[in-house]
Amino acid sequence: MRKLVYYIAVTLDGFIAGPDGANPTGPDGFWPVPDDYVRHLAAEYPETLPAPAREALSITAEGTHFDTVLEGRKSYEIGLDAGITDAYPHLRHLVFSTTLVESPDPAVELVTGDPVAKVRELKQEDGKDIWLIGGGKLAGALYGEIDQLIVKLGPLTTGTGVPLFGRTAAFDPRVWNLTDHTILDSGAAFLTYNRA
């Protein structure tokens, strides 16, 4: 069965974005993206790079981890604000929203119903694992369905912002087993945890 994998960049103090939810690595962002970080993504997780980055880096590799990406409306709108209606045309792309009435891109599937039910349906399908890109609100809603965490731990703190599982996730302690790790010279750590 396919796994739901929350593959996400997070600060040392547990935030995935600043308080405004804007792209932390964008032109006005606060999150540094060193060369060794980009090289690691390109080599190990090429399917997680958005189309403009893949094109700039001449990446055509399909990737081995994911064939489907899930994101919430606010995360999706970061791309829309940059003029990108489908940042991941090389993946099946689903956007979860209760306010959008129509997908801005015919290749992007809009899901207006229960995210848990949809993820359970996706897990039963054939294919590679399912990448949950965020945001925090969607991750909080899908907290009980997440099978694996791949945390891209950045060597920075922000003090406040959007928490890893959003601001409304229920209190539900879980134990995770560390199954892999890579530490980059720039200080970023890629930590893989499976649900115990």
Side-chain angles (χ1 to χ4, degrees):
M1 185 162 68
R2 303 166 81 189
K3 295 189 305 274
L4 179 63
V5 181
Y6 191 20
Y7 171 83
I8 189 75
V10 65
T11 64
L12 291 171
D13 50 353
F15 299 105
I16 61 173
D20 62 358
N23 183 356
T25 61
D28 299 322
F30 57 85
W31 201 302
V33 182
D35 288 341
D36 65 347
Y37 185 85
V38 174
R39 285 193 308 272
H40 185 74
L41 292 178
E44 299 297 327
Y45 299 94
E47 67 269 40
T48 66
L49 291 167
R54 288 170 60 88
E55 185 176 327
L57 297 169
S58 299
I59 294 173
T60 57
E62 180 181 292
T64 58
H65 301 281
F66 312 113
D67 61 12
T68 304
V69 60
L70 313 180
E71 68 180 322
R73 178 191 52 85
K74 288 182 182 177
S75 293
Y76 179 62
E77 285 179 346
I78 291 172
L80 288 180
D81 291 345
I84 302 168
T85 59
D86 186 2
Y88 304 99
H90 51 284
L91 300 172
R92 181 178 176 192
H93 191 169
L94 289 80
V95 172
F96 291 76
S97 175
T98 58
T99 57
L100 287 175
V101 294
E102 184 178 343
S103 174
D105 190 294
V108 175
E109 299 174 47
L110 185 61
V111 181
T112 58
D114 177 19
V116 171
K118 185 62 178 181
V119 164
R120 288 178 179 167
E121 176 186 313
L122 291 169
K123 283 182 175 183
Q124 298 301 316
E125 296 175 358
D126 291 332
K128 297 176 184 173
D129 287 337
I130 304 158
W131 169 29
L132 171 58
I133 191 174
K137 183 177 179 181
L138 180 59
L142 292 172
Y143 179 74
E145 293 299 315
I146 296 170
D147 303 296
Q148 185 177 68
L149 293 169
I150 301 177
V151 176
K152 300 176 286 182
L153 188 64
L156 74 154
T157 57
T158 58
T160 191
V162 177
L164 184 63
F165 291 104
R167 295 180 179 98
T168 59
F171 181 74
D172 185 10
R174 297 190 181 247
V175 175
W176 299 84
N177 295 324
L178 181 67
T179 58
D180 194 19
H181 67 282
T182 301
I183 311 296
L184 304 180
D185 289 340
S186 61
F190 285 70
L191 306 171
T192 302
Y193 295 91
N194 286 334
R195 187 169 53 186

